[in-house]
């Protein structure tokens, strides 16, 4: 998408629900888009699926500008994006197979071709034996699998998930996330976009991620890059320091340290303590294994008798990024 803008009017007030969103996602990758309520996520889904026209800007798939399409071409363009909703919205009176085959039915695919395609799609999503069942007989996770099979029926180039796991329990969520990765591995020409407010989803399956706020992309990049920035907003969201007791100035100075890869497994705090001749304590932290790399984000307390800048210099010498927590908190507030 290039410079995508959507302006709504609430009375006389202009609301820029999307304000110049540009994003390019390569085939074969899973890109997460996260944002708070009101960030513009639903508007983005509507503009990408051409249910709503952007005020300006373009949506391109493999070099074809979907936003330029009209009438018949618009219907064809829409099929290039398969949409999976939070809840599958299935026809209760139709079998699972007929639900999955519905997009093929309305595009005039003959019944025998349709049956073969539906059987293949049901196998792909792990529902090979459920074609004759009705939606009411399925669990939430199975219904979501049906929604995914239906979205894939027209062989889209882009699979767009709008909060795909928000209505599911943690175990079913992980099963659906595993399925999304499996689909991407199965079709390496597919672009997968996942709009979510769940950080777990991004951490578990996304190759890259964008932060949407006020209709703008504030930060974007490969998961391992955005997480590896001590002062990044995505890093805070994905690898945040958990709440901890408040620390009085008399007890020392707080320092945040972020290390990745092999360094994350090294005792850098103990090494820095030894180097500066003071006992640095760990107050809180999170250590995560993301996209094959370990990241460690710790909040340290440098005792009053030691120089926090010496500790920071030593931690940096050891290959970690380190800064005074007060500086980072001020930046976040700014
Ligand atoms: N049809 C509309 N008319 C007027 N304003 C709208 C319309 N749709 C969205 N907006 C405004 O655009 C902004 C972005 O809304 P949007 O629904 O896209 O956000 P969101 O990130 O999806 O939020 P949520 O997670 O709460 O659904 C909001 O300020 C919203 O009030």
């Amino acid at each position: 998408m290039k410079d995508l803008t959507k302006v709504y009017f609430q009375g006389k007030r202009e609301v820029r629900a999307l304000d110049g969103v540009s994003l390019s996602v390569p085939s074969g990758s899973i890109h997460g888009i996260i944002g708070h309520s009101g960030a513009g996520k639903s508007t983005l889904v509507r503009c990408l699926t051409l249910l709503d026209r952007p005020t300006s800007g373009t949506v391109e798939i493999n070099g074809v500008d979907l936003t330029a399409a009209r009438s018949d071409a618009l219907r064809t363009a829409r099929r290039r994006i398969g949409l999976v909703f939070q809840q599958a919205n299935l026809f209760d009176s139709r079998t699972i197979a007929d639900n999955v085959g519905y997009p093929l039915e309305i595009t005039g695919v003959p019944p025998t071709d349709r049956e073969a395609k539906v059987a293949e799609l049901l196998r792909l999503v792990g529902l090979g034996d459920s074609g004759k069942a009705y939606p009411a007989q399925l669990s939430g996770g199975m219904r979501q699998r049906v929604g995914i099979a239906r979205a894939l029926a027209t062989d889209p180039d882009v699979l767009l998930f709008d909060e795909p796991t928000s209505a599911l329990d943690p175990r079913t969520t992980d099963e659906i996330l595993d399925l999304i990765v499996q689909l991407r591995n199965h079709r390496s020409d597919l672009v997968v976009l996942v709009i979510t407010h769940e950080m777990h989803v991004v951490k578990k399956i996304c190759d890259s991620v964008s932060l949407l706020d006020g209709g703008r992309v504030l930060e974007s990049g490969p998961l391992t890059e955005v997480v590896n920035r001590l002062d990044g907003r995505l890093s805070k969201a994905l690898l945040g320091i958990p709440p901890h007791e408040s620390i009085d100035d008399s007890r020392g100075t707080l320092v945040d340290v972020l290390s990745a890869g092999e360094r994350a497994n090294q005792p850098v705090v103990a090494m820095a303590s030894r180097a500066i001749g003071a006992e640095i304590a760990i107050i809180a932290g999170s250590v995560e294994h993301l996209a094959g790399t370990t990241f460690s984000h710790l909040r340290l307390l440098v005792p009053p008798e030691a120089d926090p800048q010496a500790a920071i210099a030593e931690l940096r010498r050891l290959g970690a990024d380190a800064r005074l927590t007060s500086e980072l908190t001020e930046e976040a507030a700014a």
Side-chain angles (χ1 to χ4, degrees), residues 177-197:
L177 296 179
D178 287 343
L179 175 62
I180 296 174
V181 173
Q182 191 189 316
L183 292 174
R184 184 274 305 269
N185 296 346
H186 179 78
R187 268 199 54 191
S188 57
D189 55 341
L190 196 65
V191 168
V192 179
L193 285 179
V194 185
I195 297 190
T196 183
H197 69 275

Side-chain angles (χ1 to χ4, degrees), residues 8-10 13 15-17 35-44 46 163 212:
Y8 289 115
F9 286 93
Q10 294 178 355
R13 200 168 71 93
V15 181
R16 297 180 86 77
H36 292 300
S37 182
K41 303 185 297 296
S42 308
T43 308
L44 186 62
R46 286 198 300 275
E163 300 282 0
L212 193 65

Side-chain angles (χ1 to χ4, degrees), residues 189-208:
D189 55 341
L190 196 65
V191 168
V192 179
L193 285 179
V194 185
I195 297 190
T196 183
H197 69 275
E198 292 177 290
M199 299 307 144
H200 170 68
V201 172
V202 175
K203 289 189 223 177
K204 191 167 157 82
I205 65 167
C206 292
D207 303 304
S208 53

Side-chain angles (χ1 to χ4, degrees), residues 45-298:
V45 170
R46 286 198 300 275
C47 287
L48 285 177
T49 48
L50 307 173
L51 295 170
D52 211 347
R53 289 221 160 254
T55 308
S56 62
T58 54
V59 177
E60 277 181 25
I61 298 181
N62 298 332
V64 177
D65 179 3
L66 303 196
T67 31
R70 297 282 183 276
S71 59
D72 279 357
L74 179 62
R75 273 189 288 278
T76 311
R78 278 199 183 120
R79 281 180 220 129
R80 303 184 78 141
I81 301 187
L83 178 59
V84 180
F85 307 92
Q86 182 175 340
Q87 279 170 342
N89 301 331
L90 304 176
F91 293 116
D92 288 335
S93 58
R94 284 174 162 249
T95 62
I96 297 312
D98 286 346
N99 267 284
V100 173
Y102 182 70
L104 301 172
E105 203 178 309
I106 55 173
T107 50
V109 174
T112 41
D113 294 351
R114 214 159 66 211
E115 272 169 35
K117 180 79 185 176
V118 167
E120 179 203 325
L121 288 167
L122 287 175
R123 265 196 310 276
L124 190 62
V125 300
L127 291 178
D129 298 329
S130 304
K132 291 201 172 76
Y134 283 86
Q137 296 169 278
L138 303 189
S139 66
M142 288 164 94
R143 291 170 70 95
Q144 201 56 319
R145 284 172 191 266
V146 178
I148 293 172
R150 183 184 53 192
L152 285 167
T154 54
D155 288 325
D157 302 300
V158 177
L159 202 49
L160 172 59
F161 289 89
D162 186 7
E163 300 282 0
T165 56
S166 301
L168 303 176
D169 62 51
R171 198 171 131 199
T172 316
T173 291
D174 280 346
E175 287 170 5
I176 293 295
L177 296 179
D178 287 343
L179 175 62
I180 296 174
V181 173
Q182 191 189 316
L183 292 174
R184 184 274 305 269
N185 296 346
H186 179 78
R187 268 199 54 191
S188 57
D189 55 341
L190 196 65
V191 168
V192 179
L193 285 179
V194 185
I195 297 190
T196 183
H197 69 275
E198 292 177 290
M199 299 307 144
H200 170 68
V201 172
V202 175
K203 289 189 223 177
K204 191 167 157 82
I205 65 167
C206 292
D207 303 304
S208 53
V209 57
S210 295
L211 173 68
L212 193 65
D213 191 16
R216 290 167 182 255
V217 173
L218 289 194
E219 245 185 87
S220 185
L223 185 62
T224 48
E225 271 179 42
V226 297
V227 164
N228 205 10
R229 289 179 202 147
L230 199 46
D231 54 355
R233 290 180 53 165
L234 276 168
S235 172
K236 277 199 190 74
L238 294 162
L239 195 70
I241 297 282
H244 58 82
E245 56 161 342
S246 66
I247 305 290
D248 198 276
D249 283 353
S250 64
R251 289 176 61 195
T253 307
L254 289 174
V255 166
D256 276 16
V257 59
L258 180 69
S259 43
E262 281 180 17
R263 288 196 181 88
N265 296 319
Q266 284 175 354
V268 288
V269 180
M271 289 155 90
S273 293
R274 222 170 14 247
I276 67 165
E279 288 182 349
I280 301 173
I282 299 173
I283 297 297
S286 69
V287 180
E288 298 235 27
H289 197 63
L290 304 174
T293 304
T294 304
F295 293 89
S296 156
H297 185 190
L298 304 176

